[in-house]
Amino acid sequence: AQNAPNSDWEKKVTEHFKEKLKENNATNWVPSLNDVPVHYLKPNSLVKFRCMIQDMFDPEFYMGVYETVDPNTNARVLHFGKYRDVAECGPQQEIDLNSSQTVTSERQTFYCVPVPVCPSLTPSHAYVSASQARVSPSTSYTPSRHKRSYEEDEDMDLHPSKQKEQHMGKSCCSGGDIHGCVEPKRLETEASAGHHVISPNCSPPLDLNFPLPGEKGPACLVKVYEGWESFKVNDVLEVFGVLSVDPVLSIVNSEERDSSALDPMECMDTAEEQRVHSPPASLVPRIHVILAHKLQHINPLLPACLNEEESKTCEFVSNFMSELSPVRAELLGFLTHALLGDSLAAEYLILHLISTVYGRRDVLPLGKFTVNLSGCPRSGAFAEHLYRLIQQLVPASYHLRMSIESMNHSRFIPHKDYTANRLVSGLLQLASSTSLVIDETQLEQGQLDTAGVHNVTALGNLITWQKVDYDFNYHRMEFPCNINVLITSEGRSLLPSDCQVQLQPQIIPPNMEEYMSSLLTAVLPSVLNKFRIYLSLLRLLDYSISDEVTKAVEEDFVEMRKNNPESVTADDLHKMLLVARFLSLSAGQTTLSRERWLRAKQLEALRKARLQQQQCVNGNEL
C-alpha cells in the first residue's frame, strides 16, 4: 500500500521476512502444515511446509497490479495481486480490465506432497516438538462473495463465456454459505486416510497423487514468484508463505457447473486437467511462497543448513564430533543385537546407512553402497522387524515387500498423464537419502507379467545407476536419484548389489517380535536421537585421500595381485576403497589413514570368507 507500482516493494517484503525468521528461532513459531490440520489455520496467515516437489505445472499469469472502480462515484483504487489467488473487490466495486495501470505477472506452480514416509521419527514427533506454534480452529473467517479468481478476471475479455460460467458456478452455492460446496473437516479427515478422497461434488474420487500407498498429510499447490528455475522435480523444500484456502477456488470442481456451456474452442484446458490443477482448496491448499530453500537433509534434529559458517552450527557439529566414538560403539552394539549377534553384518549396516551418492562420473554414480543381507531367517518375520528398527534411525524409509503380486500390480515408475497434464507418481518417486528396504524373504515361485518385468528392471536400474526412467509415453526421461537400498533375502538376491553380506546369527530368539521390541525399549530416547544425528551428519561430511595414502593403496593393490592376479580385481579395489571411505567417515575422519585402509581390507576378507564358506555348504548357492 505504501509503494507505487513497479517499485522494489517485493524485495523489501522478502528481506523483511528473511530477517525476521532468523531471530530467536522464529521459524519454530510459524505453524507447519506438516503438523497442523488445514482447518486449524487462519486463511492468509504465514505458514511453513516441508515438502517434495511431485510435479511442476505450467507457469500461470496473474494480475500483479489491477484497478477497481466504483460505478456510482467513479472512485478508483489500486490493488496489488501478489500472494493472492482471488482479487480484492468490494460490493460496490468492479475490476477495470482495460485500465492502463494493470500489470500482468508470471508465477510457477509446484504440486508438492509431504516427503514420502518422512515422519519415521516415530511419527514426526521431532517436527512437533521442535515447533512451538500453537493454533486453534479458525471460526471467525467468513469469505466474501465478491471475490473472483485472478486467472478468470484476467482473460474475461478474451473469453466472454467465462462470465457465464462464473455466474453458473456461483449459483451452485446460492442456497447457503459458500462452504456448502465442500466440507473442509470431513474432507481433511478423508485426505489422511489414503490416496483417494471422495468429494461430495465430484463423482470420481480425487487422487492426491502421493508416491506411496497409505501416505498421510496435505498435498499443496505451492506458487513460486521468483527463482523457480533453480528447483526441479523431487527436490525437498522448506517453504514459508501465505496460506490460501478461499472456497471460491473450489467452484471450478463443482459438478453442478454446466459443462455444456464450455466451448471447447474457447477453453484450452480439458475438464480433467481443470479438476487436477484446481482441486478444492480445503483439500489441496495453496501456499504463496515468500521464502523457499532446498534442504540438504530431512532430519529435524540437525541444523537446516550445515554449510553456513554460523557459530551455532559449527558449535553443534564440533560438540557432536567430540562424542562420536561412544555413539558409534553404542550403535554398533544396538545393530549387532538387531542382527542376532552378528557384529560383522552390523559393521556393514552402519557403512550402508551413512553411504550417499557424492558425485557422478559419466553415468556411474559414486558413493552408492547397496547391501544384500543374505541368510535372513524367514521365521518370525525377521526382515519385517529389522526394517522397523531401521525406520527408527533414519528420517525417511520405505519397506518394499517383494512378491509376485506386488511386482505385477504396483506402479513403480511415474508416468505422464497427458489428458490431465500431470505426472502420475510411482513407488520409486522418492526423496533423496530415503532408505529403501527390499524384502525378498517372502518371494514365492510364480510368473511375472509385463508390468512385473518392467518393475524389476526399474529396481535394477535404481540400484545400479541410481536413476529412474520416468515414462512420458513417447519417450523416457532419466531422473537421477540418491536412494539407499538394503536387500534382505535367504539366498543371494535376484537384484544386483554392491556388497553381499551373509548373516551368521549367533542367537535365534524364540519370540522374534518380543526380542526386537525389547531392543527398542531398552534404548533411551536421548541415545536414539544421537543415533539419528550420527547417521544423518556423517553423510554430509566431505572426504578426501592424500597423495601419500593413494600411493600406498596402489602399491598394496599391486602386492595383492602378485600372489594371485585372479583373487583381486579392479572391482574389488573399488569396493575396498568404498568400505574404507565409509569406515573413515563412521569414525568422524574425513581423510583416509593407513589404519582404516588395513581395517577395510580385514572386513572385506572376513566378508568374502563367509561367502566362500556358504558356497561350500550350498554348492550352487553363489
Side-chain angles (χ1 to χ4, degrees):
Q2 295 171 6
N3 291 272
N6 304 320
S7 70
D8 60 349
W9 70 273
E10 285 129 323
K11 287 181 183 176
K12 290 179 185 175
V13 169
T14 308
E15 288 302 319
H16 171 80
F17 280 97
K18 195 177 284 185
E19 290 305 315
K20 286 289 181 185
L21 289 170
K22 281 182 182 176
E23 296 172 6
N24 301 324
N25 294 323
T27 53
N28 293 342
W29 293 93
V30 180
S32 171
L33 273 174
N34 298 95
D35 308 322
V36 184
V38 177
H39 57 269
Y40 273 47
L41 296 169
K42 188 178 177 184
N44 302 319
S45 62
L46 183 71
V47 296
K48 67 181 175 186
F49 187 40
R50 281 192 175 206
C51 55
M52 182 184 84
I53 301 175
Q54 191 276 321
D55 194 7
M56 291 178 162
F57 294 161
D58 295 330
E60 65 182 24
F61 295 101
Y62 70 100
M63 291 196 297
V65 178
Y66 60 97
E67 197 170 35
T68 56
V69 59
D70 188 327
N72 301 324
T73 63
N74 219 22
R76 292 178 169 272
V77 181
L78 209 58
H79 301 267
F80 290 98
K82 199 172 182 181
Y83 308 124
R84 292 177 177 274
D85 279 302
V86 177
E88 259 186 316
C89 191
Q92 301 302 319
Q93 291 180 318
E94 291 179 359
I95 294 176
D96 183 1
L97 296 171
N98 299 314
S99 168
S100 60
Q101 301 276 20
T102 302
V103 176
T104 302
S105 301
E106 186 182 15
R107 61 190 176 200
Q108 175 72 52
T109 303
F110 299 151
Y111 187 85
C112 294
V113 297
V115 179
V117 286
C118 184
S120 57
L121 297 177
T122 18
S124 84
H125 76 265
Y127 287 108
V128 176
S129 60
S131 174
Q132 297 162 7
R134 294 287 176 266
V135 292
S136 55
S138 175
T139 54
S140 59
Y141 174 57
T142 52
S144 165
R145 292 170 184 266
H146 298 280
K147 292 181 176 179
R148 300 194 298 192
S149 163
Y150 286 143
E151 287 77 10
E152 288 179 9
D153 280 327
E154 179 145 1
D155 55 5
M156 202 70 82
D157 54 333
L158 299 175
H159 304 296
S161 64
K162 286 201 176 182
Q163 293 184 7
K164 181 180 176 183
E165 293 168 36
Q166 193 180 48
H167 290 305
M168 295 174 75
K170 284 186 178 178
S171 68
C172 81
C173 296
S174 58
D177 181 34
I178 201 160
H179 274 293
C181 280
V182 287
E183 301 171 50
K185 289 194 180 182
R186 180 180 162 195
L187 287 180
E188 194 279 329
T189 308
E190 290 173 346
S192 65
H195 263 271
H196 300 289
V197 181
I198 301 174
S199 169
N201 289 327
C202 293
S203 46
L206 183 66
D207 183 358
L208 292 181
N209 213 12
F210 293 133
L212 301 175
E215 277 293 283
K216 298 181 181 181
C220 284
L221 288 178
V222 173
K223 309 213 171 193
V224 184
Y225 291 85
E226 54 196 27
W228 60 73
E229 58 282 342
S230 63
F231 301 122
K232 58 185 185 296
V233 169
N234 300 339
D235 277 351
V236 177
L237 312 179
E238 183 166 53
V239 300
F240 293 85
V242 180
L243 177 68
S244 174
V245 286
D246 199 301
V248 170
L249 300 170
S250 306
I251 290 177
V252 73
N253 279 296
S254 174
E255 196 180 29
E256 294 175 29
R257 275 182 57 165
D258 184 3
S259 58
S260 64
L262 292 170
D263 184 340
M265 297 301 290
E266 292 181 347
C267 183
M268 297 296 289
D269 298 343
T270 63
E272 181 64 20
E273 185 173 347
Q274 285 185 357
R275 186 170 160 272
V276 165
H277 286 237
S278 303
S282 57
L283 195 58
V284 183
R286 281 66 164 162
I287 297 178
H288 294 267
V289 175
I290 297 172
L291 292 172
H293 59 269
K294 272 192 254 190
L295 293 176
Q296 277 184 289
H297 60 83
I298 46 179
N299 189 336
L301 300 172
L302 266 66
C305 187
L306 291 164
N307 287 343
E308 293 177 5
E309 294 297 323
E310 290 185 12
S311 55
K312 281 186 180 178
T313 302
C314 295
E315 187 182 346
F316 175 88
V317 174
S318 60
N319 285 348
F320 190 80
M321 295 301 274
S322 65
E323 57 178 33
L324 201 70
S325 187
V327 172
R328 188 192 194 282
E330 282 189 83
L331 178 58
L332 182 63
F334 175 74
L335 292 178
T336 300
H337 287 300
L339 293 168
L340 310 179
D342 189 342
S343 58
L344 180 67
E347 281 277 9
Y348 274 92
L349 186 54
I350 289 178
L351 305 187
H352 162 76
L353 290 173
I354 65 170
S355 67
T356 185
V357 176
Y358 62 86
R360 290 178 188 266
R361 185 168 294 153
D362 297 328
V363 294
L364 188 69
L366 306 175
K368 73 181 182 74
F369 194 59
T370 298
V371 170
N372 171 207
L373 190 63
S374 56
C376 294
R378 289 189 68 169
S379 58
F382 167 77
E384 177 86 32
H385 294 301
L386 178 63
Y387 168 72
R388 287 181 188 170
L389 289 185
I390 292 172
Q391 189 184 28
Q392 301 301 316
L393 301 175
V394 296
S397 60
Y398 183 61
H399 189 206
L400 179 59
R401 297 168 186 84
M402 233 179 141
S403 66
I404 296 296
E405 187 180 358
S406 67
M407 290 295 105
N408 287 342
H409 297 107
S410 299
R411 189 175 68 219
F412 279 33
I413 302 171
H415 70 272
K416 181 75 173 181
D417 178 354
Y418 286 96
T419 306
N421 191 19
R422 72 163 176 177
L423 183 67
V424 179
S425 61
L427 288 178
L428 297 185
Q429 189 175 9
L430 299 169
S432 178
S433 303
T434 299
S435 284
L436 177 62
V437 180
I438 302 174
D439 181 6
E440 282 187 19
T441 59
Q442 303 303 316
L443 196 58
E444 302 283 352
Q445 286 188 342
Q447 184 71 41
L448 284 175
D449 60 18
T450 307
V453 171
H454 284 319
N455 285 337
V456 172
T457 304
L459 281 176
N461 285 337
L462 169 69
I463 292 166
T464 307
W465 308 111
Q466 285 292 312
K467 64 164 188 165
V468 180
D469 295 329
Y470 289 18
D471 183 4
F472 283 78
N473 292 7
Y474 310 107
H475 67 284
R476 289 181 176 262
M477 189 179 291
E478 287 184 9
F479 280 76
C481 55
N482 184 6
I483 309 297
N484 274 19
V485 183
L486 174 69
I487 308 165
T488 55
S489 59
E490 279 188 284
R492 185 177 181 178
S493 171
L494 303 171
L495 296 166
S497 66
D498 298 305
C499 182
Q500 182 188 352
V501 180
Q502 180 69 23
L503 186 68
Q504 286 188 349
Q506 305 300 307
I507 48 168
I508 300 292
N511 187 327
M512 189 71 74
E513 185 172 2
E514 190 178 303
Y515 174 78
M516 291 293 203
S517 299
S518 65
L519 278 181
L520 264 183
T521 51
V523 180
L524 292 171
S526 59
V527 174
L528 205 53
N529 278 345
K530 284 180 181 177
F531 292 167
R532 293 162 177 162
I533 294 170
Y534 173 90
L535 294 174
S536 292
L537 183 61
L538 296 184
R539 293 168 65 96
L540 301 169
L541 295 181
D542 290 325
Y543 173 86
S544 61
I545 305 178
S546 67
D547 294 339
E548 184 186 345
V549 175
T550 303
K551 190 177 178 183
V553 168
E554 286 173 358
E555 290 171 356
D556 214 356
F557 178 60
V558 171
E559 195 64 37
M560 284 188 285
R561 283 181 63 84
K562 264 185 188 175
N563 303 326
N564 187 357
E566 299 292 321
S567 65
V568 184
T569 64
D571 282 343
D572 292 326
L573 176 63
H574 175 69
K575 201 171 294 179
M576 281 189 278
L577 284 170
L578 261 185
V579 171
R581 175 192 181 91
F582 298 127
L583 204 54
S584 300
L585 289 173
S586 73
Q589 297 176 1
T590 55
T591 57
L592 179 59
S593 64
R594 179 73 181 164
E595 293 73 27
R596 295 292 161 194
W597 169 246
L598 294 174
R599 175 62 177 154
K601 282 172 59 182
Q602 183 189 11
L603 285 177
E604 276 295 277
L606 289 169
R607 182 186 69 82
K608 285 182 178 179
R610 278 194 187 184
L611 293 178
Q612 291 294 331
Q613 185 184 351
Q614 185 66 22
Q615 190 176 18
C616 294
V617 175
N618 304 347
N620 59 352
E621 176 65 32
L622 292 175

